[in-house]
């Protein structure tokens, strides 16, 4: 009978050949010292260096190491989503491959999930070694996400997180949505979300994959996920409501202008033609927009009923999968 795996560790990576041996050895040392049965799933997100060769060698050295190699770079969300599908552990840990996340934090996060019954525990890198050009946008990003999601986390973008297996098997991560996994989890009913201060280490090998454009995309993704999470199953509630309000506003204004014209005509009072008033054309635009929004809601409702197609990523090679 196969042993129950305690911890699955999912590590997305891109060009991290230098850090992988040290990281794997470190994880193994921590897991064995605490008596955990574990697995490590390394997802190579289209690396152009020797990362995949290193993963193959590590898999031969450590039977717990499994590997997935994408045919090209799809992004961190795609790597996590694919790794989540392969996990078998009671608790799922995600961490970065650059040695800035410490495996020493894993046992405490595991206990928070198993003993304290958290659905998700997010790491908080309270003391960071990043430049101001990264820490300042991060603070603004986290503040905006807290405000919109009403989840009291200090560091949504920390790669070191722990999940109850039910969470990772119930959500789908795509685009740049890995930043918002706590938000996705909450809106899927996993509301017991905790936080743990974790150590942030300076980068030892390679260069950061961070770019300022990620924050631009991040805020757009936040708006997207907010809308999708609230109206995915009932788009007519959003588009239909907006369309109805716009139509009624345009109709009432048009009715008022026409009624005013008729009244003044019967009273033999001077009055402007309805078509000479700019407000009338604005009212017509409101009516047309209202009809279009209503139709958009109707079509969205039809599309949502047809079901979704899951993201598919081209996997080039695997190890122990």
């Amino acid at each position: 009978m196969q042993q129950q795996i305690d911890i699955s560790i999912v590590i997305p990576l891109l060009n991290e050949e230098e850090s992988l041996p040290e990281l794997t050895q470190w994880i193994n040392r921590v897991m064995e010292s605490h008596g955990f049965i574990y697995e490590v799933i390394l997802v190579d997100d289209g690396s152009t260096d020797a990362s995949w060769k290193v993963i193959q060698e590590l898999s031969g050295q450590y039977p717990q190491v499994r590997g997935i190699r994408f045919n090209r770079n799809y992004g961190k969300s795609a790597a996590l989503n694919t790794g989540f599908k392969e996990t078998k552990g009671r608790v799922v840990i995600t961490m970065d491959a650059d040695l800035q996340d410490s495996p020493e934090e894993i046992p405490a996060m595991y206990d928070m999930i198993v003993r304290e019954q958290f659905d998700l525990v997010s790491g908080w890198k309270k003391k960071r070694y990043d430049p101001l050009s990264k820490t300042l946008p991060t603070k603004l990003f986290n503040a905006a996400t807290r405000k919109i999601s009403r989840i009291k986390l200090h560091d949504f973008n920390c790669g070191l997180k722990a999940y109850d297996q039910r969470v990772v098997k119930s959500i789908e991560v795509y685009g740049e949505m890995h930043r918002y996994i706590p938000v996705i989890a909450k809106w899927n009913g996993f509301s017991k979300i905790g936080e743990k201060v974790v150590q942030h280490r300076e980068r030892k090998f390679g260069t950061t994959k961070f770019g300022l454009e990620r924050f631009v995309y991040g805020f757009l993704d936040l708006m997207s996920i907010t809308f999708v999470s609230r109206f995915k199953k009932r788009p007519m509630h959003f588009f239909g409501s907006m369309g109805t309000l716009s139509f009624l506003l345009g109709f009432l204004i048009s009715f008022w202008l026409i009624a005013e014209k008729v009244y003044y005509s019967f009273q033999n009072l001077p009055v402007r033609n309805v078509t000479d008033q700019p407000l009338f054309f604005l009212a017509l635009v409101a009516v047309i927009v209202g009809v279009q929004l209503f139709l958009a809601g109707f079509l969205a409702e039809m599309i949502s009923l047809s079901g979704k197609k899951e993201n598919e990523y081209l996997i080039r090679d695997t190890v122990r999968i």
Side-chain angles (χ1 to χ4, degrees):
M1 183 176 179
Q2 189 175 7
Q3 288 182 305
Q4 172 66 42
I5 296 176
D6 299 313
I7 299 175
S8 295
I9 304 173
V10 179
I11 305 176
L13 62 105
L14 176 65
N15 298 331
E16 300 286 0
E17 60 177 336
E18 295 175 301
S19 63
L20 287 174
E22 182 176 339
L23 176 61
T24 306
Q25 183 182 23
W26 192 1
I27 291 172
N28 184 68
R29 185 169 66 250
V30 172
M31 295 295 102
E32 287 189 346
S33 66
H34 287 81
F36 288 125
I37 299 172
Y38 76 101
E39 65 178 355
V40 178
I41 301 175
L42 298 169
V43 185
D44 183 354
D45 187 23
S47 294
T48 55
D49 64 359
S51 292
W52 183 247
K53 182 180 179 181
V54 173
I55 291 172
Q56 291 176 312
E57 293 172 353
L58 290 171
S59 179
Q61 184 178 355
Y62 301 96
Q64 300 91 345
V65 173
R66 305 162 67 198
I68 298 173
R69 184 187 187 189
F70 284 164
N71 197 52
R72 66 171 178 84
N73 178 248
Y74 287 104
K76 188 173 182 179
S77 293
L80 288 174
N81 194 63
T82 302
F84 286 162
K85 292 179 180 179
E86 299 297 331
T87 57
K88 301 175 182 176
R90 165 70 177 82
V91 173
V92 178
I93 303 288
T94 60
M95 61 189 306
D96 294 333
D98 54 13
L99 294 173
Q100 290 188 285
D101 294 334
S102 172
E104 303 288 349
E105 309 284 357
I106 294 176
M109 299 180 84
Y110 173 87
D111 286 342
M112 292 179 72
I113 297 292
V114 174
R115 297 181 183 177
E116 300 181 43
Q117 300 294 302
F118 281 98
D119 296 316
L120 185 157
V121 176
S122 181
W124 174 19
K125 296 175 181 177
K126 195 172 184 178
K127 182 179 180 181
R128 303 185 69 102
Y129 293 96
D130 295 321
L132 186 64
S133 60
K134 183 175 180 180
T135 56
L136 183 59
T138 297
K139 289 182 181 296
L140 295 174
F141 164 81
N142 286 322
T145 307
R146 273 196 305 272
K147 183 71 173 178
I148 293 174
S149 68
R150 298 180 181 179
I151 300 175
K152 296 180 180 180
L153 293 180
H154 292 86
D155 192 357
F156 284 85
N157 201 31
C158 178
L160 185 57
K161 290 183 173 66
Y163 309 84
D164 186 289
Q165 190 192 56
R166 296 173 302 151
V167 177
V168 301
K169 297 299 184 182
S170 303
I171 64 175
E172 184 174 359
V173 191
Y174 58 92
E176 294 292 324
M177 297 300 185
H178 58 274
R179 299 179 180 89
Y180 305 111
I181 292 180
V183 182
I184 299 172
K186 179 185 176 183
W187 284 334
N188 276 275
F190 300 102
S191 57
K192 191 171 183 181
I193 299 173
E195 186 172 57
K196 182 185 182 300
V197 176
V198 297
Q199 181 184 8
H200 183 222
R201 297 162 53 86
E202 293 187 65
R203 175 179 276 274
K204 188 174 181 179
F205 302 107
T207 57
T208 180
K209 313 302 187 299
F210 168 80
L212 288 177
E213 73 279 356
R214 292 194 175 190
F215 283 102
V216 177
Y217 300 149
F219 282 113
L220 294 176
D221 284 335
L222 179 58
M223 297 299 103
S224 174
I225 196 172
T226 300
F227 174 82
V228 170
S229 297
R230 293 182 179 177
F231 300 104
K232 180 179 180 180
K233 297 298 183 182
R234 44 190 175 92
M236 192 60 168
H237 287 196
F238 177 80
F239 290 106
S241 298
M242 297 292 291
T244 301
L245 289 174
S246 180
F247 180 87
L248 288 176
L249 180 63
F251 177 81
L252 291 174
I253 292 174
S254 300
F255 180 82
W256 171 261
L257 293 175
I258 293 172
E260 183 183 50
K261 167 72 174 178
V262 172
Y263 175 78
Y264 278 100
S265 296
F266 275 108
Q267 297 296 324
N268 294 318
L269 296 173
V271 63
R272 294 172 63 187
N273 288 329
V274 172
T275 54
D276 291 338
Q277 302 187 55
L279 188 59
F280 175 71
F281 294 99
L282 291 176
L284 288 181
V285 170
V287 170
I288 294 171
V289 169
V291 172
Q292 290 179 330
L293 285 172
F294 190 88
L295 290 175
F298 178 75
L299 292 174
E301 196 81 21
M302 298 283 288
I303 293 172
S304 69
L305 291 175
S306 67
K308 67 178 180 179
K309 182 178 180 180
E310 293 186 357
N311 291 309
E312 296 178 356
Y313 305 107
L314 183 58
I315 296 173
R316 184 173 179 178
D317 205 352
T318 62
V319 175
R320 297 184 186 275
I321 298 296

